[in-house]
Amino acid sequence: MLDSNLFIPVILGTPRQGRQSEYVAKFIVEQIATRDRLTTELIDIRNIAIATNDAGESIKDPEFSATMERADGLIIVAPEYNHGYPGLLKHVLDTCLKEYIHKAVGLCGVSAGAFGGTRVIQNLLPVMRELGLVTIFYDLNFSNVQTLFDESGNLIDKPTYIRRITRFMDELVWMSTVLKYGRQEPSLTKSST
């Protein structure tokens, strides 16, 4: 019988000082915590001790790897930097491979401009596919992020974003559940002879 509980961590994808995307990631974690049968944790890439003199699985952080292995799905909160994603985010993501296979991922773009990180999401899509993650069809976008939160980090227009995250999370939970079933169902993983 499939365990219907899901673990969906949130990856905060930038180490920069003064990052507005931290408020977004914390808001998402708070919203996940209100849902039944979901657990989460915030993974701040700033806190992952990762070598920069090599790349890939050879520099894998054991704790990050174990968290990705345990995850049923994940959310990546990534600010848009120069039409792309932060380099350290890519460096960290590339340290795992098998841990991601057939797991759902929801992408959340953050920007100071009007596009809400649309370009960072577009750039992350082929990376997610190559890593074996399955992106959901609904993204979250936080435009003009510097005006969305008060000085204490509280979202100003909460009702609008709660509607958006509800749709996003409904899809992510559905996809994570289906893929979890597929990973656990022996008849789907064994080849027939």
Side-chain angles (χ1 to χ4, degrees):
M1 176 129 209
L2 177 68
D3 176 7
S4 63
N5 294 309
L6 297 173
F7 173 53
I8 301 177
V10 177
I11 298 174
L12 174 54
T14 179
R16 284 192 181 179
Q17 298 297 318
R19 56 194 178 172
Q20 297 291 307
S21 52
E22 184 172 356
Y23 295 142
V24 173
K26 288 180 178 180
F27 169 71
I28 291 171
V29 167
E30 288 170 8
Q31 294 307 302
I32 293 171
T34 66
R35 288 181 164 244
D36 292 336
R37 300 185 335 264
L38 292 187
T39 57
T40 190
E41 70 180 67
L42 180 60
I43 299 169
D44 187 340
I45 65 167
R46 179 190 285 173
N47 299 327
I48 297 174
I50 191 163
T52 57
N53 61 349
D54 205 349
E57 291 189 291
S58 65
I59 59 167
K60 185 179 293 194
D61 177 77
E63 187 176 339
F64 180 72
S65 174
T67 303
M68 291 301 99
E69 184 70 38
R70 192 168 49 103
D72 297 302
L74 59 123
I75 297 170
I76 297 174
V77 177
E80 181 178 314
Y81 294 156
N82 301 319
H83 292 216
Y85 45 80
L88 187 58
L89 173 62
K90 179 74 163 71
H91 191 56
V92 169
L93 289 174
D94 283 351
T95 64
C96 293
L97 292 174
K98 67 177 176 28
E99 295 89 341
Y100 302 129
I101 303 296
H102 298 141
K103 293 184 181 179
V105 62
L107 300 176
C108 175
V110 181
S111 74
F115 295 119
T118 298
R119 293 178 289 221
V120 72
I121 291 170
Q122 288 174 337
N123 283 302
L124 280 170
L125 287 172
V127 175
M128 299 299 100
R129 182 177 181 190
E130 185 62 26
L131 292 175
L133 290 160
V134 179
T135 55
I136 62 172
F137 69 87
Y138 189 76
D139 306 319
L140 283 177
N141 302 89
F142 287 80
S143 304
N144 302 304
V145 69
Q146 69 281 7
T147 65
L148 293 180
F149 296 88
D150 65 20
E151 53 281 341
S152 299
N154 300 308
L155 190 60
I156 294 169
D157 184 11
K158 214 169 191 175
T160 297
Y161 285 92
I162 286 176
R163 280 193 304 276
R164 291 178 185 175
I165 197 168
T166 297
R167 184 175 170 194
F168 174 88
M169 286 305 302
D170 287 349
E171 175 64 16
L172 183 59
V173 166
W174 186 89
M175 186 68 78
S176 296
T177 301
V178 168
L179 291 169
K180 182 176 183 178
Y181 173 79
R183 289 190 312 274
Q184 292 179 353
E185 179 56 42
S187 64
L188 295 177
T189 58
K190 291 183 180 177
S191 60
S192 58
T193 53

